[in-house]
Amino acid sequence: MKIGFIGLGIMGKPMAKNLVKAGHELRVFDRTKAQAEDVAAMSNGKAVVAANAVDAAKGAELVLTMLPNSPHVKSVMLIDDKVAEHMEKGATFIDMSSINPIASREISEGLSKYGIEMLDAPVSGGEPKAIDGTLSFMVGGKKAVFDKFEPVLKAMGSSVVLCGDIGAGNVTKLCNQIVVAVNIAAVSEALMLGKKAGVDPEAIYKAIRGGLAGSTVMDAKAPMIMDRNFKPGFKIDLHIKDLLNVQDAARAVDSPIPLTVQVAEMMKILHADGQGQSDHSALALVYEKMANTEITRG
């Protein structure tokens, strides 16, 4: 399939590479040209560097975006670059960014004027799963469109679930981000208690990971915390963005989110301390600051 891919950051670049490996032909664009050139270099001619976002959509049956937030997607598709105006007749747009579900619906409505179908398909799994092609996709849109493009998404993910109409994918992603954020905070809080009480955090992790407290989040983030490795798989600033979108969505439907609000404030502290580009496992640093103790093995 001929695909235009716009946005080749931490997540987008390995996702594009997996599409190439699956045999798709790509025109790729990122404002950092080196990112697109890296995809093209491994593609054996299957990926071409596009001059701009509009050029990426040239001749494409499917256009994909992986961008930071709602304004970026709107800008590319409808406002500034106006990619929608230049897409092939009958082409489809899938936004894999994590954005406000209200924005997804607005973008879909704007695209309908050009006869373009849309899916919102945010992902979970971070950089490691983007690299190995085992992301989880949460999808919103028409079932017929989903059925047609599900194989494309499965080239990048091991789980692809249709959650409902347009916007449902991003509602589900916001729910995911609540669970991830609160889980990281809980893991940090627990390991700090153990450290302060004289019990090795690694022993605590090994002891509880096989029980009810165990989780994918704990397995991914507890070792990073204990190793003081906060190289970003998913940045604090991006998680703040997601939790602000959670708050907007929750206000719209009058849903209580006291834990989300608290963890979002902790992340804002990290941003103010210059940790906004660190991995969200850096939530542990808030506890370390309060306790004046590092969560390390031993």
Side-chain angles (χ1 to χ4, degrees):
M1 184 177 294
K2 292 183 178 179
I3 299 172
F5 199 117
I6 302 167
L8 301 165
I10 288 176
M11 299 291 288
K13 185 167 71 172
M15 293 166 74
K17 288 182 176 181
N18 284 327
L19 288 174
V20 169
K21 292 173 185 176
H24 297 288
E25 297 178 33
L26 273 62
R27 295 183 69 85
V28 294
F29 174 71
D30 190 89
R31 298 195 188 282
T32 302
K33 190 176 181 181
Q35 297 288 83
E37 289 174 339
D38 186 41
V39 175
M42 57 72 63
S43 72
N44 291 320
K46 291 181 180 178
V48 176
V49 177
N52 49 49
V54 170
D55 187 41
K58 182 179 178 181
E61 181 180 352
L62 173 65
V63 173
L64 302 174
T65 51
M66 191 64 175
L67 299 168
N69 205 354
S70 311
H72 304 90
V73 182
K74 286 184 176 180
S75 173
V76 165
M77 296 306 298
L78 296 169
I79 299 173
D80 295 315
D81 298 285
K82 298 182 179 179
V83 168
E85 291 185 3
H86 303 275
M87 287 175 65
E88 296 291 311
K89 185 177 180 180
T92 298
F93 171 58
I94 301 180
D95 177 36
M96 303 181 297
S97 319
S98 295
I99 68 175
N100 192 312
I102 296 171
S104 293
R105 294 171 186 135
E106 291 172 348
I107 294 166
S108 178
E109 183 178 348
L111 293 175
S112 68
K113 299 173 184 177
Y114 300 97
I116 299 169
E117 296 285 359
M118 175 181 169
L119 299 174
D120 65 303
V123 303
S124 179
E127 184 183 18
K129 289 184 177 292
I131 291 171
D132 63 22
T134 59
L135 291 166
S136 294
F137 281 86
M138 297 147 271
V139 188
K142 296 176 183 176
K143 188 177 187 304
V145 181
F146 171 81
D147 289 342
K148 181 178 180 179
F149 293 102
E150 183 182 11
V152 176
L153 299 180
K154 283 189 171 179
M156 300 176 282
S158 58
S159 172
V160 181
V161 178
L162 181 63
C163 301
D165 294 332
I166 281 289
N170 271 304
V171 169
T172 305
K173 176 59 187 289
L174 294 182
C175 295
N176 178 88
Q177 295 304 79
I178 291 172
V179 174
V180 171
V182 174
N183 203 332
I184 295 173
V187 169
S188 301
E189 193 165 305
L191 295 182
M192 178 57 76
L193 172 61
K195 185 71 174 183
K196 293 284 285 185
V199 180
D200 183 356
E202 185 171 23
I204 294 170
Y205 165 58
K206 289 180 177 179
I208 69 177
R209 66 187 295 261
L212 188 60
S215 69
T216 301
V217 174
M218 177 183 284
D219 284 341
K221 301 304 175 180
M224 292 180 69
I225 291 168
M226 292 184 291
D227 289 340
R228 320 219 25 90
N229 170 24
F230 303 118
K231 179 183 177 182
F234 191 78
K235 296 176 183 178
I236 285 288
D237 281 348
L238 288 176
H239 213 139
I240 290 173
K241 176 264 296 183
D242 287 343
L243 297 187
L244 292 176
N245 283 337
V246 169
Q247 292 175 58
D248 288 343
R251 279 192 293 269
V253 296
D254 194 26
S255 182
I257 49 166
L259 293 177
T260 300
V261 171
Q262 185 61 50
V263 177
E265 291 302 308
M266 293 166 64
M267 289 186 175
K268 289 179 184 178
I269 291 171
L270 289 168
H271 174 84
D273 284 347
Q275 295 291 339
Q277 297 300 298
S278 297
D279 187 77
H280 50 182
S281 58
L283 267 170
L285 297 176
V286 176
Y287 288 92
E288 293 185 352
K289 189 174 184 178
M290 289 190 290
N292 194 29
T293 301
E294 291 186 353
I295 302 171
T296 53
R297 290 179 169 85

